[in-house]
């Protein structure tokens, strides 16, 4: 007995260290998964998992929505699920609270009607008509796709959600006033491209015409630091700015139409894919800043420019056609983003700049070593000033299978907080069946707290705080991989803490 106790005591520390920080739950639906969204539909602190999936055969196509809820102990179990077949008229869906309510509903949009379902007794009840509008831009339904777009949102920060319905070159913003929904028509910048082949008209007289529409990116920021946020609609290199009127409604026409010159774009360059404009408050001074990234060069000689224009320099003054950047960097690499993250409840936003080097050396590395580096640079403003150099650079070696033409282990997730300290950690695939979780310190550097979870990896791991403990959990969806053998399955990894 003493010998047994001694053995247990000897191995106990190792057994404790070997225990996983994650509870793995496999879940399954009947069709190929399009996406999984986490949403607290009943306001109980635990998020339901909303799964959109589809079945497509040679003679039919059906779309479904399945909702999973927890068992009261924070665990998702297959028995706790409810399925609904989706009407073919729906093309967009979103979540949000109705005026005067706290519990969220599920809003579906069709060609000219918005309807909602309410989550009651573990099932969706509806549909109930919300409002009608003119034809929306996304009006043709797809047999296996349903767009999740953040259209039911508190755009003017008055505590009540508004509904935005997009059309080509214009939109309706519906405000809830005096017990009814009242629309305001807004002009919006939009890019339309056409493609046909006149030279082939004699051979193919009725060939297809490709028409491509791009709606603008929308940002809500304060242009004048007066506490009344403007709406910035960004399309290509155009920025239209809308102001709130005395009724707290955005004017139908923009107050300012800007086309700032932020890069020397050559005519041969594809402007939309080469130039990326964002509006955000980079330095935390409550003024809207503009961030411009521009890709140039070739695949063997790639260059990227990153420029930041601060609100205090009045970049959005319509008279300034060629504003000067307050911060500038150039990289011999592809630039992704950048992204902006608030850390540890700070007003400032850390600028995260992922770059992938390109050139002959990098191409040789992929052929010989089958991996290539992804560098992630972190810039945190100090006293509302961005540093010239990053305070930290993290390098991740991405593995590439040339034979199968795919990434091994998928893309890393750099935006996730697993230990609840308010700072981002890291999760990445180590092969196809191992997921590595790495805790980072307050300086953004990797710590010794790491774990390798034995689970099939996904191309894009999703992270979300599912149970309100301020520690992110993980959702692994396999239908996003072209070679997926189980497109109807996904795994949920509940973070048990204790890091």
């Amino acid at each position: 007995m003493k010998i047994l106790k001694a053995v247990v005591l000897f191995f106990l520390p190792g057994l404790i260290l070997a225990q996983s920080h994650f509870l793995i739950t496999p879940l399954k639906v009947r069709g190929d998964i399009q996406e999984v969204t986490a949403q607290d539909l009943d306001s109980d602190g635990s998020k339901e998992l909303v799964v959109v999936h589809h079945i497509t055969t040679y003679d039919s196509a059906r779309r479904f929505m399945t909702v999973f809820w927890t068992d009261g102990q924070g665990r998702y179990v297959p028995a706790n699920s409810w399925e609904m077949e989706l009407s073919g008229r729906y093309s967009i869906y979103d979540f949000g609270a109705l005026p005067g309510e706290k519990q969220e509903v599920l809003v579906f949009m069709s060609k000219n009607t918005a309807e909602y379902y309410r989550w009651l007794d573990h099932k969706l009840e509806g549909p109930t008509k919300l409002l009608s509008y003119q034809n929306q831009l996304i009006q043709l339904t797809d047999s296996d796709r349903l767009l999740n777009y953040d259209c039911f949102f508190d755009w003017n920060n008055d505590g009540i959600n508004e509904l935005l319905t997009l059309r080509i070159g214009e939109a309706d913003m519906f405000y809830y006033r005096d017990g009814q929904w009242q629309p305001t028509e807004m002009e919006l910048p939009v890019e339309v491209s056409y493609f046909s082949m006149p030279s082939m008209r004699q051979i193919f007289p009725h060939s297809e015409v490709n028409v491509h529409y791009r709606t603008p990116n929308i940002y809500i920021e304060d242009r004048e630091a007066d506490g009344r946020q403007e709406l910035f609609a960004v399309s290509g290199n155009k920025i239209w700015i809308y102001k709130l009127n005395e009724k707290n409604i955005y004017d139908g026409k923009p107050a300012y139409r800007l086309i700032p010159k932020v890069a020397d774009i050559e005519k041969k360059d594809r402007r939309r894919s080469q130039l990326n404009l964002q509006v955000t408050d980079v330095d935390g001074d409550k003024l809207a800043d503009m961030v411009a990234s521009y890709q140039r060069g070739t695949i063997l000689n790639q260059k990227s420019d990153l420029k930041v224009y601060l609100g205090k320099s009045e970049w959005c003054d319509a008279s300034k056609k060629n504003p000067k950047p307050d911060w500038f960097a150039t990289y011999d690499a592809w630039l992704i983003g950048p992204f902006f993250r608030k850390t540890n409840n700070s007003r400032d936003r850390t600028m995260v700049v992922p770059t992938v080097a390109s050139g002959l050396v990098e191409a040789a590395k992929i052929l010989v070593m089958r991996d290539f580096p992804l560098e992630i640079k972190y810039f945190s403003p100090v006293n509302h000033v961005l540093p010239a150099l990053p305070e930290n650079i993290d390098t991740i070696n991405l593995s590439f299978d040339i034979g199968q033409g795919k990434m091994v282990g998928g893309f890393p997730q750099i935006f996730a907080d697993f230990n609840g300290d308010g700072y981002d950690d890291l999760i990445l695939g180590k092969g196809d069946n191992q997921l590595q979780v790495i805790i980072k310190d307050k300086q953004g550097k990797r710590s010794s707290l790491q774990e390798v979870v034995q689970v099939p990896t996904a191309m894009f791991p999703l992270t979300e705080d599912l149970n309100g403990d301020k520690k992110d959990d993980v959702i692994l969806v396999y239908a996003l991989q072209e070679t997926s053998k189980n497109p109807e399955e996904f795994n949920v990894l509940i973070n048990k803490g204790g890091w």
Side-chain angles (χ1 to χ4, degrees):
M1 189 68 180
K2 291 182 179 180
I3 296 176
L4 178 60
K5 183 182 292 186
V7 171
V8 172
L9 291 175
F10 179 80
F11 284 106
L12 183 57
L15 291 173
I16 292 174
L17 291 174
Q19 290 179 352
S20 175
H21 292 87
F22 295 93
L23 173 66
I24 303 175
T25 302
L27 297 172
K28 185 177 181 179
V29 293
R30 74 157 83 182
D32 293 1
I33 297 174
Q34 176 192 319
E35 65 180 346
V36 179
T37 305
Q39 203 75 22
D40 189 359
L41 296 174
D42 52 8
S43 303
D44 66 349
S46 294
K47 295 182 180 180
E48 282 70 38
L49 300 177
V50 182
V51 187
V52 175
H53 51 107
H54 62 89
I55 297 175
T56 302
T57 62
Y58 71 95
D59 61 349
S60 67
R62 301 168 65 188
R63 298 180 303 176
F64 301 88
M65 177 172 284
T66 297
V67 183
F68 293 87
W69 65 90
T70 61
D71 61 357
Q73 297 181 354
R75 299 174 302 183
Y76 298 93
V77 295
N80 288 355
S81 66
W82 184 83
E83 180 186 270
M84 175 179 72
E85 186 163 2
L86 299 174
S87 171
R89 67 181 181 275
Y90 297 143
S91 57
I92 295 176
Y93 75 100
D94 193 16
F95 305 90
L98 297 175
E101 298 184 5
K102 292 184 178 180
Q103 181 176 328
E104 295 192 347
V105 298
L106 183 59
V107 177
F108 286 96
M109 298 175 65
S110 59
K111 184 177 181 180
N112 48 29
T113 305
E115 306 169 12
Y116 68 88
Y117 287 78
R118 194 183 298 276
W119 181 249
L120 289 173
D121 298 325
H122 295 136
K123 63 180 180 179
L124 291 169
E125 294 192 349
T128 302
K129 182 179 177 180
L130 184 66
L131 54 88
S132 298
Y133 45 81
Q134 299 181 49
N135 293 350
Q136 59 160 315
L137 176 61
I138 311 297
Q139 55 185 271
L140 296 178
T141 57
D142 191 315
S143 61
D144 59 0
R145 298 291 297 177
L146 188 66
L147 179 64
N148 181 206
Y149 182 69
D150 194 13
C151 54
F152 196 46
F153 178 77
D154 185 6
W155 297 93
N156 60 356
N157 199 30
D158 64 351
I160 302 175
N161 285 334
E162 288 77 39
L163 182 70
L164 178 69
T165 63
L166 294 169
R167 302 196 301 278
I168 300 175
E170 56 189 12
D172 279 334
M173 181 80 81
F174 285 85
Y175 300 84
Y176 194 74
R177 296 287 189 274
D178 301 322
Q180 59 182 348
W181 294 97
Q182 300 178 9
T184 295
E185 188 173 274
M186 300 177 66
E187 294 182 14
L188 283 181
V190 67
E191 291 191 7
V192 183
S193 62
Y194 307 92
F195 178 78
S196 63
M197 298 184 67
S199 60
M200 301 294 289
R201 197 166 291 157
Q202 291 182 344
I203 301 175
F204 301 107
H206 309 293
S207 61
E208 69 176 17
V209 175
N210 190 312
V211 184
H212 193 172
Y213 302 98
R214 290 184 183 270
T215 63
N217 289 304
I218 298 177
Y219 304 92
I220 306 295
E221 294 291 346
D222 195 339
R223 176 182 181 269
E224 300 159 351
D226 59 357
R228 295 173 63 81
Q229 293 182 316
E230 280 76 25
L231 186 149
F232 295 76
V234 180
S235 179
N237 63 342
K238 296 180 291 186
I239 302 179
W240 292 8
I241 307 175
Y242 304 79
K243 297 182 69 66
L244 286 169
N245 60 27
E246 66 280 357
K247 296 181 180 179
N248 208 30
I249 292 174
Y250 287 108
D251 292 326
K253 295 183 179 296
Y256 310 96
R257 301 171 189 254
L258 309 180
I259 308 179
K261 185 178 180 181
V262 297
D264 295 323
I265 304 176
E266 299 181 11
K267 291 184 178 180
K268 63 180 181 179
D269 286 344
R270 295 171 296 168
R271 183 182 62 190
R272 183 74 188 209
S273 61
Q274 303 293 90
L275 177 65
N276 176 39
L277 295 181
Q278 301 181 59
V279 178
T280 185
D281 182 8
V282 177
D283 56 358
D285 65 353
K286 298 184 179 180
L287 281 171
D289 308 316
M290 176 176 64
V291 181
S293 60
Y294 176 57
Q295 316 281 346
R296 53 193 172 87
T298 66
I299 191 171
L300 297 179
N301 185 29
Q302 183 67 26
K303 303 286 185 181
S304 298
D305 296 333
L306 179 58
K307 301 177 183 179
V308 177
Y309 303 79
L310 298 177
K312 54 194 171 191
S313 299
E314 299 181 341
W315 66 268
C316 50
D317 187 332
S319 63
K320 294 187 177 182
K321 305 297 183 182
N322 188 15
K324 302 300 181 183
D326 297 277
W327 187 95
F328 178 84
T330 298
Y331 305 105
D332 296 326
W334 295 94
L335 190 155
I336 306 170
F339 306 97
F340 298 90
R341 295 280 288 177
K342 287 187 178 181
T343 58
N344 200 27
N345 298 320
S346 171
R347 179 187 298 173
D348 296 341
R349 301 179 185 181
T350 297
M351 183 169 68
V352 183
V353 185
T355 59
V356 179
S358 63
L360 289 172
V361 175
E362 284 69 27
K365 284 183 179 179
I366 296 176
L367 290 173
V368 178
M369 303 178 66
R370 297 192 177 185
D371 63 15
F372 56 96
L374 169 68
E375 280 195 351
I376 306 167
K377 304 171 179 66
Y378 296 86
F379 300 84
S380 296
V382 179
N383 296 325
H384 308 307
V385 177
L386 271 176
L389 299 175
E391 70 267 23
N392 183 42
I393 299 177
D394 194 6
T395 301
I396 302 172
N397 287 321
L398 306 178
S399 298
F400 192 80
D401 188 323
I402 299 176
Q404 296 188 22
K406 69 168 188 175
M407 288 188 60
V408 179
F411 289 88
Q413 173 58 272
I414 62 176
F415 301 128
D417 181 9
F418 294 110
N419 61 344
D421 64 352
Y423 296 91
D424 279 326
D425 303 309
L426 173 65
I427 182 171
L428 68 157
K430 302 289 288 185
D432 288 332
N433 292 288
Q434 290 184 331
L435 200 64
Q436 185 176 17
V437 178
I438 302 171
I439 303 299
K440 292 187 175 183
D441 60 21
K442 294 181 180 180
Q443 283 72 44
K445 297 181 180 179
R446 301 187 187 190
S447 73
S448 59
L449 290 174
Q450 302 184 16
E451 180 186 346
V452 175
V453 184
Q454 302 296 328
V455 64
T457 56
M459 185 59 64
F460 301 99
L462 310 175
T463 55
E464 185 89 24
D465 180 8
L466 297 175
N467 50 16
D469 63 357
K470 298 183 179 180
K471 299 178 183 65
D472 279 343
D473 309 288
V474 185
I475 303 172
L476 302 174
V477 179
Y478 305 109
L480 301 177
Q481 297 154 222
E482 293 183 1
T483 58
S484 174
K485 297 179 180 179
N486 304 300
E488 73 285 355
E489 297 179 359
F490 67 105
N491 273 309
V492 180
L493 280 62
I494 300 297
N495 186 352
K496 298 187 294 183
W499 294 94

